[in-house]
Amino acid sequence: MCMVNATDPEVEDSLIAEAATAATEADFTVMVLGLCKRCEKEGKDRYDLLLPNRQPDLVEAVLAATKVPVVMVVVGGGGVDLSAYVDDARVGAIVFAGYPGESGGTAIADVLFGNVNPSGRLTQTFYSNAFLGEVSMTDMAMRPHSSSPGRTYRFYEGPSVVYPFGHGLSYTSFEYNLASAAVVSRAALGTTGGSTDDVEVAIDVRNAGSRAGAETVLVYLVPPPGLTGQPLKSLRGFEKVWLEPGESATVRFAFGDADFSLADHAGAVAVVGGTWRIVTHNDEVEVEVEV
């Protein structure tokens, strides 16, 4: 995997050439790439985000030779810089499989052959390798500071995101309607006795495609503007819903005082008043939080 199956450069060249030749004759080309325990594990850190060793050479050789768009299956635990292939017309699809276990081959095949409609979401941000020049490897601070733009979807606003946290595709398409969703009760959060009513939102999700599939609905809370050192947004709710073609469902979420709380620089957590935004997909609704 990490070494194109050899350590001798001449052998690797031969294997790469063999793969390119096979691609010229293939009706379909699937490349399995990525990481393994030789590249990353407890006590062994990677020094960049690139595909390791000769894998970029292998990819380029196959892409140059192929007659049809290539499917790239990427395995690994950490993110990989895939920016070179996102807009490459020679790449038909990119599937991130993580470390899928002993049944992983069957699971990947089911997705590639269309037996299963994928519904997964990325659990991490996939950065380009340029991110290494923005943040020191030894700087573990999440929040931005004088020598770092911060890390993760909650704080980072820089240009190096290739695939954001929560990204995922399906063989069908889904439509959202949050604009008509009502905030059922608006609470004076954190008032006498610490009691709170929930802020409730209802999101209509419709399968607008021709295939049945599951959609993972992600809901973020965006704090009031003007706060220093606070997250851009935070995931506060998620639910997966299965829909047949043309079918709709209403997904409901309730948020309480813990969801509208933030930590200050001293680590104290408290409800923060002001205009919060509840965001999902490409829609949002505002809610006024009073303290």
Side-chain angles (χ1 to χ4, degrees), residues 118-196:
S119 59
R121 301 284 190 155
L122 288 181
T123 59
Q124 58 189 301
T125 302
F126 271 46
Y127 301 97
S128 71
N129 202 54
F131 183 67
L132 274 66
E134 301 177 47
V135 180
S136 169
M137 183 179 181
T138 58
D139 184 350
M140 295 292 103
M142 295 291 106
R143 288 173 168 78
H145 56 80
S146 59
S147 59
S148 169
R151 296 173 180 267
T152 80
Y153 79 94
R154 300 181 70 226
F155 296 102
Y156 180 75
E157 292 186 278
S160 298
V161 175
V162 180
Y163 291 110
F165 169 85
H167 177 78
L169 301 178
S170 169
Y171 291 142
T172 188
S173 59
F174 297 93
E175 296 175 347
Y176 283 62
N177 183 5
L178 178 59
S180 64
V183 178
V184 177
S185 59
R186 296 187 175 185
L189 299 175
T191 55
T192 305
S195 62
T196 175

Coordinates of all heavy atoms in Angstrom, one line a residue, residues 118-196:
P118 N -24.4 5.3 -0.6 CA -23.6 5.8 0.5 C -24.3 7.0 1.2 O -25.0 7.8 0.6 CB -22.3 6.3 -0.2 CG -22.7 6.5 -1.6 CD -23.8 5.5 -1.9
S119 N -24.1 7.0 2.5 CA -24.7 8.1 3.3 C -23.7 8.6 4.4 O -24.2 9.3 5.3 CB -26.0 7.7 3.9 OG -25.8 6.5 4.8
G120 N -22.5 8.2 4.3 CA -21.5 8.6 5.3 C -21.1 10.1 5.3 O -21.3 10.8 4.2
R121 N -20.6 10.6 6.3 CA -20.1 12.0 6.4 C -18.7 11.9 7.0 O -18.3 11.1 7.8 CB -21.0 12.8 7.4 CG -22.4 12.9 7.0 CD -22.6 13.8 5.8 NE -24.1 14.1 5.6 CZ -24.5 15.2 5.0 NH1 -23.7 16.1 4.6 NH2 -25.8 15.3 4.9
L122 N -17.8 12.9 6.5 CA -16.5 13.0 7.0 C -16.5 13.4 8.5 O -17.2 14.3 8.8 CB -15.7 14.0 6.2 CG -15.2 13.5 4.8 CD1 -14.4 14.7 4.1 CD2 -14.5 12.2 4.8
T123 N -15.7 12.7 9.3 CA -15.6 13.1 10.7 C -14.4 14.0 11.0 O -14.2 14.3 12.1 CB -15.4 11.8 11.5 OG1 -14.2 11.1 11.1 CG2 -16.6 10.8 11.3
Q124 N -13.8 14.5 9.9 CA -12.7 15.4 10.1 C -12.6 16.3 8.9 O -13.1 15.9 7.8 CB -11.4 14.6 10.3 CG -11.1 13.7 9.1 CD -9.9 12.8 9.4 OE1 -8.8 13.2 9.6 NE2 -10.1 11.5 9.3
T125 N -11.9 17.4 9.0 CA -11.6 18.2 7.8 C -10.5 17.7 7.1 O -9.4 17.3 7.6 CB -11.3 19.7 8.3 OG1 -12.3 20.2 9.1 CG2 -11.0 20.6 7.1
F126 N -10.6 17.6 5.7 CA -9.5 17.2 4.9 C -8.8 18.5 4.3 O -9.4 19.2 3.5 CB -10.0 16.3 3.7 CG -10.1 14.9 4.0 CD1 -10.6 14.4 5.2 CD2 -9.6 13.9 3.1 CE1 -10.6 13.1 5.5 CE2 -9.6 12.6 3.4 CZ -10.2 12.1 4.6
Y127 N -7.6 18.7 4.7 CA -6.8 19.9 4.3 C -5.9 19.5 3.2 O -5.6 18.4 2.9 CB -6.0 20.4 5.5 CG -6.7 20.8 6.7 CD1 -6.8 19.9 7.8 CD2 -7.3 22.0 6.9 CE1 -7.5 20.3 9.0 CE2 -7.9 22.4 8.0 CZ -8.0 21.5 9.1 OH -8.7 21.9 10.2
S128 N -5.5 20.6 2.4 CA -4.4 20.4 1.5 C -3.1 20.4 2.3 O -3.0 20.8 3.4 CB -4.4 21.6 0.5 OG -4.0 22.8 1.1
N129 N -2.0 20.0 1.6 CA -0.7 20.0 2.3 C -0.2 21.4 2.7 O 0.6 21.5 3.5 CB 0.3 19.3 1.4 CG 1.4 18.7 2.2 OD1 1.3 17.9 3.1 ND2 2.7 19.1 1.8
A130 N -0.8 22.4 2.1 CA -0.4 23.8 2.4 C -0.7 24.1 3.8 O -0.1 25.0 4.4 CB -1.1 24.7 1.4
F131 N -1.7 23.4 4.4 CA -2.0 23.7 5.8 C -0.8 23.5 6.8 O -0.8 24.2 7.8 CB -3.1 22.7 6.2 CG -3.7 22.9 7.6 CD1 -4.4 24.1 7.9 CD2 -3.5 21.9 8.6 CE1 -4.9 24.3 9.2 CE2 -4.0 22.1 9.9 CZ -4.7 23.3 10.2
L132 N 0.1 22.6 6.4 CA 1.3 22.5 7.2 C 2.1 23.7 7.4 O 2.8 23.9 8.3 CB 2.2 21.3 6.7 CG 1.8 19.9 7.1 CD1 0.5 19.5 6.5 CD2 2.9 18.9 6.6
G133 N 2.0 24.6 6.4 CA 2.7 25.9 6.5 C 2.0 26.9 7.3 O 2.6 28.0 7.6
E134 N 0.8 26.6 7.6 CA 0.0 27.6 8.4 C 0.0 27.3 9.9 O -0.2 28.2 10.7 CB -1.5 27.5 7.9 CG -1.7 27.9 6.4 CD -3.1 27.8 6.0 OE1 -4.0 28.3 6.7 OE2 -3.4 27.2 5.0
V135 N 0.2 26.0 10.3 CA 0.1 25.6 11.7 C 1.3 24.7 12.0 O 1.6 23.8 11.3 CB -1.2 24.8 12.0 CG1 -1.3 24.4 13.4 CG2 -2.4 25.7 11.6
S136 N 2.0 25.0 13.1 CA 3.1 24.1 13.5 C 2.6 22.8 13.9 O 1.5 22.7 14.6 CB 3.8 24.8 14.7 OG 4.7 23.9 15.2
M137 N 3.3 21.7 13.6 CA 2.9 20.4 14.0 C 2.8 20.2 15.5 O 2.0 19.4 16.0 CB 4.0 19.4 13.5 CG 3.7 17.9 13.7 SD 4.9 16.9 13.0 CE 4.3 15.3 13.5
T138 N 3.6 21.0 16.3 CA 3.6 20.9 17.7 C 2.6 21.9 18.4 O 2.5 21.9 19.6 CB 5.0 21.2 18.3 OG1 5.4 22.5 17.9 CG2 6.0 20.2 17.8
D139 N 1.8 22.6 17.6 CA 0.8 23.6 18.1 C -0.5 22.9 18.2 O -1.1 22.7 17.1 CB 0.8 24.8 17.3 CG -0.1 25.9 17.8 OD1 -0.9 25.6 18.8 OD2 -0.1 27.0 17.3
M140 N -1.0 22.5 19.3 CA -2.3 21.8 19.5 C -3.4 22.8 19.8 O -4.6 22.3 20.0 CB -2.2 20.8 20.6 CG -1.2 19.6 20.3 SD -1.7 18.6 18.9 CE -0.7 19.2 17.6
A141 N -3.2 24.1 19.7 CA -4.3 25.0 20.0 C -5.4 24.9 18.9 O -5.1 24.9 17.7 CB -3.8 26.4 20.1
M142 N -6.6 24.8 19.4 CA -7.7 24.8 18.4 C -8.1 26.2 17.9 O -8.3 26.4 16.8 CB -9.0 24.2 19.1 CG -8.9 22.7 19.4 SD -8.8 21.6 18.0 CE -7.0 21.2 18.0
R143 N -8.0 27.2 18.9 CA -8.4 28.5 18.6 C -7.3 29.3 17.8 O -6.1 29.0 18.0 CB -8.8 29.3 19.8 CG -10.1 28.9 20.4 CD -10.3 29.5 21.8 NE -11.7 29.4 22.3 CZ -12.2 28.2 22.8 NH1 -11.3 27.2 23.0 NH2 -13.4 28.2 23.2
P144 N -7.6 30.2 16.9 CA -6.6 31.0 16.3 C -5.8 31.9 17.3 O -6.3 32.3 18.3 CB -7.4 31.9 15.3 CG -8.8 31.3 15.2 CD -9.0 30.6 16.5
H145 N -4.5 32.1 17.0 CA -3.7 33.0 17.8 C -2.7 33.7 16.8 O -2.8 33.5 15.6 CB -3.1 32.3 19.0 CG -2.2 31.1 18.6 ND1 -0.9 31.2 18.2 CD2 -2.5 29.8 18.6 CE1 -0.5 30.0 17.9 NE2 -1.4 29.1 18.2
S146 N -1.8 34.4 17.4 CA -0.9 35.2 16.6 C -0.1 34.4 15.5 O 0.3 35.0 14.5 CB 0.1 35.9 17.5 OG 0.9 35.0 18.2
S147 N 0.2 33.1 15.8 CA 1.0 32.3 14.8 C 0.2 31.2 14.2 O 0.8 30.2 13.7 CB 2.3 31.9 15.4 OG 2.0 31.1 16.6
S148 N -1.1 31.2 14.4 CA -1.9 30.0 13.9 C -3.3 30.5 13.5 O -3.9 31.3 14.3 CB -2.0 28.9 15.0 OG -3.0 28.0 14.6
P149 N -3.9 30.0 12.4 CA -5.2 30.3 12.0 C -6.3 29.4 12.7 O -7.5 29.5 12.5 CB -5.2 30.1 10.5 CG -4.3 29.0 10.3 CD -3.2 29.2 11.4
G150 N -5.8 28.5 13.6 CA -6.7 27.6 14.3 C -6.8 26.3 13.5 O -6.3 26.1 12.5
R151 N -7.6 25.4 14.2 CA -7.8 24.1 13.6 C -9.3 23.7 13.6 O -10.1 24.3 14.4 CB -7.1 23.0 14.4 CG -5.6 23.1 14.4 CD -4.9 22.1 15.3 NE -3.5 22.2 15.4 CZ -2.7 21.4 14.6 NH1 -3.2 20.5 13.8 NH2 -1.4 21.5 14.7
T152 N -9.7 22.8 12.8 CA -11.0 22.2 12.8 C -12.1 23.2 12.2 O -11.9 24.4 12.1 CB -11.5 21.7 14.1 OG1 -12.0 22.7 14.9 CG2 -10.4 20.9 14.8
Y153 N -13.2 22.6 11.8 CA -14.3 23.4 11.3 C -14.8 24.4 12.2 O -15.5 25.4 11.8 CB -15.5 22.5 10.9 CG -16.4 22.0 12.0 CD1 -17.5 22.7 12.4 CD2 -16.0 20.9 12.8 CE1 -18.3 22.3 13.4 CE2 -16.8 20.5 13.9 CZ -17.9 21.2 14.2 OH -18.7 20.9 15.3
R154 N -14.6 24.3 13.5 CA -15.1 25.2 14.5 C -14.3 26.5 14.6 O -14.9 27.5 15.0 CB -15.1 24.5 15.9 CG -15.9 23.3 16.0 CD -15.9 22.7 17.4 NE -16.7 23.5 18.3 CZ -16.2 23.8 19.6 NH1 -15.1 23.4 20.0 NH2 -17.0 24.5 20.4
F155 N -13.1 26.5 14.1 CA -12.3 27.7 14.2 C -11.6 28.1 12.9 O -11.3 29.3 12.7 CB -11.2 27.6 15.3 CG -11.8 27.4 16.7 CD1 -11.9 26.1 17.3 CD2 -12.4 28.5 17.4 CE1 -12.5 25.9 18.5 CE2 -12.9 28.3 18.6 CZ -13.0 27.0 19.2
Y156 N -11.2 27.2 12.1 CA -10.4 27.5 10.9 C -11.2 28.1 9.8 O -12.2 27.6 9.4 CB -9.7 26.2 10.4 CG -8.8 26.4 9.2 CD1 -7.5 27.0 9.4 CD2 -9.2 26.0 8.0 CE1 -6.7 27.2 8.3 CE2 -8.3 26.2 6.9 CZ -7.1 26.8 7.0 OH -6.3 27.0 6.0
E157 N -10.7 29.3 9.3 CA -11.4 29.9 8.1 C -10.4 30.1 7.0 O -10.7 30.9 6.0 CB -11.9 31.3 8.6 CG -13.0 31.3 9.6 CD -13.5 32.7 9.8 OE1 -12.9 33.4 10.7 OE2 -14.6 33.1 9.2
G158 N -9.3 29.4 7.0 CA -8.3 29.6 5.9 C -8.6 28.9 4.6 O -9.7 28.3 4.4
P159 N -7.7 29.0 3.6 CA -8.0 28.6 2.3 C -7.6 27.1 2.0 O -7.8 26.6 0.9 CB -7.0 29.4 1.5 CG -5.8 29.6 2.4 CD -6.4 29.7 3.8
S160 N -7.2 26.4 3.0 CA -6.6 25.0 2.8 C -7.6 23.9 2.9 O -7.2 22.7 3.0 CB -5.4 24.8 3.7 OG -4.4 25.8 3.4
V161 N -8.9 24.1 3.0 CA -9.8 23.1 3.2 C -10.2 22.5 1.8 O -10.6 23.2 0.9 CB -11.1 23.5 3.8 CG1 -12.2 22.4 3.9 CG2 -10.8 24.0 5.2
V162 N -10.0 21.2 1.7 CA -10.3 20.5 0.4 C -11.7 19.9 0.5 O -12.6 20.1 -0.3 CB -9.3 19.4 0.1 CG1 -9.7 18.6 -1.2 CG2 -7.9 19.9 0.0
Y163 N -12.0 19.1 1.6 CA -13.3 18.6 1.9 C -13.6 19.0 3.4 O -12.8 18.6 4.3 CB -13.3 17.1 1.8 CG -13.2 16.6 0.3 CD1 -12.1 16.0 -0.1 CD2 -14.3 16.8 -0.6 CE1 -12.0 15.6 -1.4 CE2 -14.2 16.4 -1.9 CZ -13.0 15.8 -2.3 OH -12.9 15.4 -3.6
P164 N -14.7 19.6 3.7 CA -15.0 20.1 5.0 C -15.5 18.9 5.9 O -16.0 17.9 5.4 CB -16.1 21.1 4.8 CG -16.8 20.7 3.6 CD -15.7 20.1 2.7
F165 N -15.4 19.1 7.2 CA -16.1 18.2 8.1 C -17.5 18.1 7.8 O -18.2 19.0 7.4 CB -15.9 18.8 9.5 CG -16.8 18.2 10.6 CD1 -16.3 17.0 11.3 CD2 -18.1 18.7 10.9 CE1 -17.1 16.4 12.2 CE2 -18.8 18.1 11.9 CZ -18.4 16.9 12.5
G166 N -18.0 16.8 7.8 CA -19.4 16.6 7.5 C -19.7 16.4 6.0 O -20.9 16.2 5.7
H167 N -18.7 16.5 5.2 CA -19.0 16.3 3.7 C -19.3 14.9 3.4 O -18.8 13.9 4.0 CB -17.7 16.7 2.9 CG -17.8 16.5 1.4 ND1 -18.5 17.4 0.6 CD2 -17.4 15.5 0.6 CE1 -18.5 16.9 -0.6 NE2 -17.8 15.8 -0.6
G168 N -20.2 14.7 2.5 CA -20.6 13.3 2.0 C -21.6 13.4 0.9 O -22.4 14.3 0.8
L169 N -21.5 12.5 0.0 CA -22.3 12.5 -1.2 C -23.2 11.2 -1.3 O -23.0 10.3 -0.5 CB -21.4 12.5 -2.5 CG -20.5 13.7 -2.7 CD1 -19.7 13.6 -3.9 CD2 -21.3 15.0 -2.7
S170 N -24.2 11.3 -2.1 CA -25.1 10.2 -2.3 C -25.4 10.0 -3.8 O -25.1 10.8 -4.6 CB -26.4 10.5 -1.5 OG -27.5 9.6 -1.8
Y171 N -26.0 8.8 -4.1 CA -26.4 8.6 -5.5 C -27.8 9.2 -5.8 O -28.3 9.1 -6.9 CB -26.5 7.1 -5.7 CG -25.2 6.4 -5.8 CD1 -25.0 5.1 -5.3 CD2 -24.1 7.0 -6.3 CE1 -23.8 4.5 -5.3 CE2 -22.9 6.4 -6.4 CZ -22.7 5.1 -5.8 OH -21.5 4.5 -5.9
T172 N -28.4 9.8 -4.8 CA -29.6 10.6 -5.0 C -29.3 12.0 -4.4 O -28.2 12.4 -4.0 CB -30.8 10.0 -4.2 OG1 -32.0 10.6 -4.6 CG2 -30.6 10.0 -2.7
S173 N -30.4 12.9 -4.4 CA -30.2 14.2 -4.0 C -31.3 14.6 -3.0 O -32.4 14.0 -3.1 CB -30.2 15.2 -5.1 OG -31.4 15.1 -5.9
F174 N -31.1 15.5 -2.1 CA -32.0 15.8 -1.0 C -32.3 17.3 -1.0 O -31.3 18.1 -1.2 CB -31.5 15.3 0.3 CG -31.4 13.8 0.4 CD1 -30.2 13.2 0.1 CD2 -32.5 13.0 0.8 CE1 -30.0 11.8 0.2 CE2 -32.3 11.6 0.9 CZ -31.1 11.0 0.6
E175 N -33.5 17.7 -0.7 CA -33.9 19.1 -0.5 C -34.2 19.3 0.9 O -34.9 18.5 1.5 CB -35.0 19.4 -1.5 CG -34.7 19.3 -3.0 CD -35.9 19.6 -3.8 OE1 -37.0 19.6 -3.3 OE2 -35.7 19.7 -5.1
Y176 N -33.8 20.5 1.4 CA -34.1 20.9 2.8 C -35.0 22.1 2.8 O -35.0 22.9 1.9 CB -32.8 21.2 3.5 CG -32.0 20.1 4.0 CD1 -31.4 19.2 3.1 CD2 -31.6 19.9 5.3 CE1 -30.6 18.2 3.5 CE2 -30.8 18.9 5.7 CZ -30.3 18.0 4.8 OH -29.5 17.0 5.2
N177 N -35.9 22.1 3.9 CA -36.7 23.3 4.1 C -36.7 23.6 5.6 O -37.4 23.0 6.3 CB -38.1 23.1 3.6 CG -39.0 24.4 3.7 OD1 -38.5 25.4 4.1 ND2 -40.2 24.2 3.4
L178 N -35.8 24.6 5.9 CA -35.8 25.1 7.3 C -36.5 26.4 7.4 O -36.9 26.8 8.5 CB -34.3 25.2 7.8 CG -34.1 25.7 9.2 CD1 -34.7 24.8 10.2 CD2 -32.6 25.8 9.5
A179 N -36.6 27.1 6.3 CA -37.2 28.4 6.4 C -38.6 28.4 7.0 O -39.0 29.4 7.7 CB -37.2 29.0 5.0
S180 N -39.3 27.4 6.7 CA -40.7 27.3 7.3 C -40.7 26.7 8.6 O -41.8 26.6 9.2 CB -41.6 26.5 6.3 OG -41.1 25.2 6.2
A181 N -39.6 26.2 9.1 CA -39.6 25.6 10.4 C -39.8 26.6 11.5 O -39.2 27.7 11.5 CB -38.2 24.9 10.6
A182 N -40.6 26.3 12.4 CA -41.0 27.2 13.5 C -40.1 27.0 14.7 O -39.8 25.8 15.1 CB -42.4 27.0 13.9
V183 N -39.7 28.1 15.3 CA -39.1 28.0 16.7 C -40.2 27.9 17.6 O -40.9 28.9 17.9 CB -38.2 29.2 17.0 CG1 -37.6 29.1 18.4 CG2 -37.1 29.3 16.0
V184 N -40.5 26.7 18.1 CA -41.7 26.4 18.9 C -41.8 27.2 20.1 O -42.8 27.8 20.5 CB -41.9 24.9 19.1 CG1 -43.1 24.6 20.0 CG2 -42.0 24.2 17.8
S185 N -40.7 27.3 20.9 CA -40.7 28.1 22.1 C -39.4 28.8 22.2 O -38.3 28.2 22.0 CB -40.9 27.2 23.3 OG -39.9 26.2 23.4
R186 N -39.5 30.1 22.5 CA -38.3 30.8 22.7 C -38.1 31.1 24.2 O -38.9 31.7 24.9 CB -38.4 32.2 22.0 CG -38.5 31.9 20.5 CD -38.4 33.2 19.7 NE -38.4 32.9 18.3 CZ -38.2 33.9 17.3 NH1 -38.1 35.1 17.7 NH2 -38.2 33.5 16.0
A187 N -37.0 30.6 24.7 CA -36.8 30.5 26.2 C -35.9 31.7 26.7 O -35.1 32.2 26.0 CB -36.1 29.2 26.5
A188 N -36.2 32.0 27.9 CA -35.3 32.9 28.7 C -34.3 32.0 29.4 O -34.5 31.6 30.5 CB -36.1 33.7 29.7
L189 N -33.3 31.6 28.6 CA -32.4 30.5 29.1 C -31.6 31.0 30.3 O -31.1 32.1 30.3 CB -31.4 30.1 27.9 CG -32.1 29.6 26.7 CD1 -31.1 29.3 25.6 CD2 -32.9 28.3 27.0
G190 N -31.4 30.1 31.2 CA -30.6 30.4 32.4 C -31.2 31.3 33.4 O -30.5 32.0 34.1
T191 N -32.5 31.4 33.4 CA -33.2 32.3 34.3 C -33.4 31.7 35.7 O -32.8 30.6 35.9 CB -34.6 32.8 33.7 OG1 -35.3 31.6 33.4 CG2 -34.4 33.6 32.5
T192 N -34.3 32.2 36.5 CA -34.5 31.7 37.8 C -34.6 30.2 38.0 O -35.4 29.6 37.3 CB -35.8 32.4 38.4 OG1 -35.7 33.8 38.3 CG2 -35.9 32.0 39.9
G193 N -33.7 29.7 38.8 CA -33.8 28.2 39.0 C -33.0 27.4 38.0 O -32.9 26.2 38.1
G194 N -32.5 28.1 37.0 CA -31.7 27.4 36.0 C -32.5 26.6 35.0 O -32.0 25.9 34.2
S195 N -33.9 26.8 35.1 CA -34.7 26.0 34.2 C -34.7 26.6 32.8 O -34.5 27.8 32.7 CB -36.1 25.9 34.8 OG -36.7 27.2 34.9
T196 N -35.1 25.8 31.9 CA -35.1 26.3 30.5 C -36.1 25.5 29.7 O -36.2 24.3 29.8 CB -33.7 26.2 29.8 OG1 -33.9 26.6 28.5 CG2 -33.1 24.8 29.9

